[in-house]
Amino acid sequence: MAVEELTALEKWLGLRAGKYSRRAQGGSQVQVPVLQTNKGPSLAGLATIASHLVTQAKKEELLGVSVEEKAIVQQWLEYRTTRIDRLTSKEDVRTALKDLNSYLEDKVYMAGNKITLADILIYYGLHPIIVSIFQEKGGGKQSNENFTPNVFGVGQIV
């Protein structure tokens, strides 16, 4: 899934498609994306590659503007890869959604007053989970089609 997310992010950022592969992480079944860069070593990991793409596109504001926002964006990118990508049970999903709901109770965005990379990657991580919950509840495919909105009003990236 991560390679598809990165490809969509590249398109949204106006970048040319990169060369991706996947590799197992630490001998586990978890597959991480790997980007072969034109200059230098390959980059591995969703957050690392996504941050690189944002910088390459000269859209650093997506990484946060202030020092605090930058730290919050990094925090949520880590949350995405360490929590959301590793949800294995309905109880894990319920807990993660409650955590996010509580955090966002008085906020529109994950960090600051504009969309950041954290918002985009949290959305990408939650989208298939929410769709599956929606389908379980009887939403079905037809209703699901309406569930892929323009992400945060910044254009279709899914």
Side-chain angles (χ1 to χ4, degrees), residues 65-84:
V65 177
S66 69
V67 173
E68 181 182 61
E69 279 182 22
K70 289 176 183 181
I72 293 169
V73 168
Q74 289 304 311
Q75 169 188 308
W76 287 108
L77 294 179
E78 185 175 330
Y79 185 87
R80 161 62 201 272
T81 58
T82 61
R83 291 279 291 136
I84 294 175

Side-chain angles (χ1 to χ4, degrees), residues 85-104:
D85 288 353
R86 289 170 169 60
L87 297 174
T88 57
S89 70
K90 286 185 180 184
E91 187 57 38
D92 289 345
V93 169
R94 189 175 297 115
T95 301
L97 291 176
K98 281 183 180 180
D99 290 347
L100 287 164
N101 198 39
S102 176
Y103 178 78
L104 290 168

Side-chain angles (χ1 to χ4, degrees), residues 7-114:
T7 301
L9 181 62
E10 282 175 327
K11 185 176 179 181
W12 183 70
L13 291 169
L15 298 172
R16 289 193 328 222
K19 294 181 182 180
Y20 293 99
S21 59
R22 293 177 178 93
R23 75 171 181 226
Q25 182 179 23
S28 71
Q29 300 270 355
V30 176
Q31 295 283 309
V32 295
V34 178
L35 172 65
Q36 181 57 53
T37 61
N38 293 331
K39 304 170 190 170
S42 57
L43 301 173
L46 176 66
T48 300
I49 296 170
S51 296
H52 168 75
L53 295 175
V54 164
T55 302
Q56 189 178 20
K58 298 184 183 354
K59 305 258 186 194
E60 288 89 354
E61 67 276 6
L62 289 173
L63 298 173
V65 177
S66 69
V67 173
E68 181 182 61
E69 279 182 22
K70 289 176 183 181
I72 293 169
V73 168
Q74 289 304 311
Q75 169 188 308
W76 287 108
L77 294 179
E78 185 175 330
Y79 185 87
R80 161 62 201 272
T81 58
T82 61
R83 291 279 291 136
I84 294 175
D85 288 353
R86 289 170 169 60
L87 297 174
T88 57
S89 70
K90 286 185 180 184
E91 187 57 38
D92 289 345
V93 169
R94 189 175 297 115
T95 301
L97 291 176
K98 281 183 180 180
D99 290 347
L100 287 164
N101 198 39
S102 176
Y103 178 78
L104 290 168
E105 191 171 61
D106 61 348
K107 297 169 187 64
V108 176
Y109 300 105
M110 302 304 291
N113 297 315
K114 292 193 290 188

